Amino acid sequence: MNPQELLYAETHEWVAVADAEGGKVATVGISDFAVESLTDLVYIQFSKSAGDAVAAGDTFGEVESVKAVSDLYCPVSGEVVAVHDKLADKLETLSDDPFGEGWMVKLKITDESALAKLMDYDAYKKMCAEQ
Amino acid sequence: MTEPLRKTPLADWHVEHGGRMVDFAGWSMPVQYTSIVEEHNATRGAVGMFDISHMGRLRFDGPDAGEYLDSLVTRRVADAAPGRIRYGLVTNNNGGVRDDVLVYHLQDAGGGSYWMMVVNAGNREKILGWIDEHPMPSSVTMSDLTTDWAMIAIQGPKALRLLQPVVEADLANMKYYTGCETKIAGHGGIVSRTGYTGEDGCELIVGANMATRIWEALLAEGVNFGARAAGLGARDTLRLEAGMPLYGHELNEEITPLQAGLSFAVTKGKTNHPGAEKIFASADDASLPVLIGLQLEGKRVPREGYKVTTGGGEVGGVTSGTFSPTLQRPLAMAYVNRANGEPGTTVSVDVRGSELPAEVVKLPFYQRAK
């Protein structure tokens, strides 16, 4: 994925929206900035599975580093269609390719209203620069 | 209005070299440069270099300086010969810990001696206030050297190999917990065989205007055998593995040194410091929680504030936790009821809603091979 074409949440998740499954599917991961801020990742766990209904703002998992633990938040409401469980065994993927192979969940969007609250690349970069 | 953060003489160097700066006790300090784990492993395997200039350095002069410091700390220090350094606690009238400190007795070039107390950055103002409340005899003078001098810790199995060429004192023949004035890179300073990582090493006190030059020279030489600059993140994981308490986590005004397992730093029968009777009484008080080590399986990490439980309910709380880079497992320190504090006991930690089994183990978790 090209990071400049993605949408971003304040909590550092990125979202790619594509037409699929007879509707719109959001692929969700966390940004390179988030991965670099965490560093020294030790663990990721997903709390949702395919078929679960989620609302924007729900947690879908947690990522643990040596220094701290962080929740992962659903940027939009929808139904979970895929969870990238294999990430747990190859955490380095998150550093190597956060916007591609580092994807975490795919959600079939049921309510697009939350998309409007997400930032574009430039706005997200500006937010990160201020942190 | 927020006070601007204080800067050590090495602050610009940290920023220029990728240090991720955070507010630590009012000081702008690097938590890491590249990775806590890489900096941690460099210290265990070769050398880690830490800027610890934020720590408070108070010098005491006068014939009664040793007795005066003795009246503030839990450890007998007045009888320390010049060259000796002792770890002790400054306690309040209830025996709670106001700070954990190093007391140095140092020989000066003229054949006399003076004393120094190194205090935690976050407690410096508090200790200065405590000294005001416990006036020094007129023969004793105190000077705060914190900003005129920088302090650098050089820690790891190759620390002496790195340092010896630039330090005049014979480091290999200095015992642990001794220190002296010496020449460092040709300039006057203090070297001590002390540290907070569980590794062999030294701490240097050098003039603030010399700090960057000495730091860069040591690092330039040290990279040849694996030395790295290391931040507060690695300092925390290293001290945790070594079972050393951190003020504000394992130590505070409500906890006595004996609850924290620091009986070695409390001289038996010494009663001239505040709270002495309360400290000794805490040894036998079964109602007071005690500090323990916890080790867990898996990768989820117990963090400060997480509850320690048994089938019978809450029995304590975690004060520090991390995923140990050396032992490759989650470790924590916690205060628990005495009945649950015996090594070998199994308890649970509530890690974000999951009750994970944890074994009570003896501290330290890690001890270097000697």
Side-chain angles (χ1 to χ4, degrees), chain A residues 19-59:
Chain A
D19 291 322
E21 312 235 352
K24 285 192 169 168
V25 169
T27 301
V28 180
I30 61 172
S31 73
D32 54 352
F33 179 86
V35 173
E36 282 166 26
S37 300
L38 290 164
T39 60
D40 301 315
L41 301 174
V42 294
Y43 172 79
I44 190 168
Q45 176 174 280
F46 297 111
S47 53
K48 303 292 181 195
S49 325
D52 287 350
V54 294
D58 285 357
T59 60

Side-chain angles (χ1 to χ4, degrees), chain A residues 43 45 62, chain B residues 296 300 306-307 309 348-357:
Chain A
Y43 172 79
Q45 176 174 280
E62 63 182 26
Chain B
L296 288 79
R300 299 187 77 188
Y306 291 9
K307 288 174 186 164
T309 63
S348 299
V349 181
D350 182 346
V351 177
R352 295 159 66 80
S354 310
E355 297 286 331
L356 302 185

Side-chain angles (χ1 to χ4, degrees), chain A:
Chain A
M1 312 261 182
N2 179 349
Q4 299 191 23
E5 293 169 1
L6 303 174
L7 296 171
Y8 296 87
E10 283 182 10
T11 46
H12 301 287
E13 292 84 6
W14 57 259
V15 182
V17 181
D19 291 322
E21 312 235 352
K24 285 192 169 168
V25 169
T27 301
V28 180
I30 61 172
S31 73
D32 54 352
F33 179 86
V35 173
E36 282 166 26
S37 300
L38 290 164
T39 60
D40 301 315
L41 301 174
V42 294
Y43 172 79
I44 190 168
Q45 176 174 280
F46 297 111
S47 53
K48 303 292 181 195
S49 325
D52 287 350
V54 294
D58 285 357
T59 60
F60 66 85
E62 63 182 26
V63 59
E64 184 112 47
S65 72
V66 168
K67 191 80 189 153
V69 62
S70 301
D71 281 316
L72 302 165
Y73 295 98
C74 297
V76 293
S77 303
E79 181 194 323
V80 178
V81 291
V83 174
H84 197 178
D85 289 314
K86 285 179 185 159
L87 270 184
D89 300 321
K90 43 174 189 175
L91 274 176
E92 64 279 6
T93 310
L94 281 177
S95 313
D96 296 343
D97 191 10
F99 297 108
E101 277 307 299
W103 70 273
M104 294 176 171
V105 290
K106 292 180 196 275
L107 308 171
K108 186 175 179 188
I109 299 173
T110 51
D111 175 1
E112 292 187 33
S113 63
L115 287 176
K117 293 181 189 155
L118 300 176
M119 286 172 273
D120 66 14
Y121 179 76
D122 289 339
Y124 177 67
K125 279 283 149 183
K126 189 162 174 282
M127 185 192 86
C128 291
E130 286 163 2
Q131 284 190 353

Side-chain angles (χ1 to χ4, degrees), chain B residues 301-313:
Chain B
V301 180
R303 307 272 178 196
E304 182 175 14
Y306 291 9
K307 288 174 186 164
V308 179
T309 63
T310 64

Side-chain angles (χ1 to χ4, degrees), chain B residues 17 51 60 112-113 134 221 227 265 283 298 305 319 360 364 370:
Chain B
H17 293 80
D51 177 12
F60 298 82
S113 75
H134 296 83
E221 173 62 21
T319 50
V360 179
K370 288 187 184 165

Side-chain angles (χ1 to χ4, degrees), chain B residues 8-296:
Chain B
T8 76
L10 288 160
D12 291 342
W13 189 93
H14 301 317
V15 172
E16 286 160 17
H17 293 80
R20 191 179 296 165
M21 307 304 278
V22 297
D23 175 356
F24 182 82
W27 292 78
S28 178
M29 298 297 291
V31 66
Q32 67 190 64
Y33 302 89
T34 55
S35 146
I36 292 173
V37 171
E38 288 172 14
E39 294 160 21
H40 177 111
N41 290 341
T43 309
R44 289 270 180 263
V47 183
M49 293 179 35
F50 303 81
D51 177 12
I52 54 170
S53 306
H54 60 307
M55 300 195 76
R57 289 170 291 286
L58 309 176
R59 173 176 170 150
F60 298 82
D61 283 276
D64 302 315
E67 278 296 343
Y68 174 68
L69 289 171
D70 200 275
S71 73
L72 293 184
V73 302
T74 54
R75 186 85 166 267
R76 178 78 68 214
V77 294
D79 63 350
R84 292 282 173 184
I85 299 169
R86 287 182 186 163
Y87 173 84
L89 294 310
V90 177
T91 44
N92 62 31
N93 294 330
N94 291 319
V97 178
R98 303 215 86 198
D99 199 11
D100 62 335
V101 301
L102 287 182
V103 176
Y104 294 51
H105 191 191
L106 290 163
Q107 192 135 34
D108 66 26
S113 75
Y114 61 97
W115 299 74
M116 189 169 62
M117 185 159 72
V118 175
V119 304
N120 280 295
N123 290 334
R124 181 168 142 271
E125 297 289 337
K126 188 170 81 170
I127 293 300
L128 288 171
W130 194 239
I131 288 168
D132 282 342
E133 284 180 50
H134 296 83
M136 298 183 292
S138 58
S139 62
V140 180
T141 55
M142 186 195 73
S143 41
D144 186 344
L145 307 180
T146 307
T147 48
D148 291 343
W149 295 82
M151 194 164 181
I152 297 169
I154 309 290
Q155 302 280 298
K158 297 179 180 171
L160 268 53
R161 173 176 156 191
L162 172 61
L163 266 181
Q164 189 62 79
V166 300
V167 176
E168 199 174 85
D170 180 2
L171 300 175
N173 283 321
M174 285 174 67
K175 289 188 176 143
Y176 213 56
Y177 275 81
T178 64
C180 61
E181 286 193 350
T182 187
K183 286 269 197 294
I184 299 168
H187 295 262
I190 295 167
V191 65
S192 60
R193 294 293 309 273
T194 48
Y196 192 52
T197 61
E199 293 302 326
D200 193 9
C202 295
E203 290 171 324
L204 307 178
I205 297 175
V206 298
N209 57 347
M210 294 296 304
T212 304
R213 209 186 311 171
I214 290 173
W215 176 273
E216 287 185 328
L218 287 172
L219 197 56
E221 173 62 21
V223 291
N224 297 322
F225 47 91
R228 291 181 81 117
L232 293 180
R235 190 165 159 82
D236 191 44
T237 52
L238 289 158
R239 69 91 195 169
L240 206 159
E241 287 181 349
M244 295 169 169
L246 174 61
Y247 197 88
H249 297 260
E250 286 72 39
L251 302 176
N252 64 48
E253 301 254 356
E254 314 298 321
I255 289 167
T256 77
L258 299 185
Q259 288 177 261
L262 299 173
S263 58
F264 75 91
V266 179
T267 302
K268 276 193 187 130
K270 181 178 180 301
T271 56
N272 62 335
H273 55 278
E277 302 301 334
K278 299 266 174 68
I279 295 170
F280 294 122
S282 72
D284 302 318
D285 188 341
S287 72
L288 296 175
V290 289
L291 184 67
I292 57 156
L294 291 174
Q295 65 177 24
L296 288 79

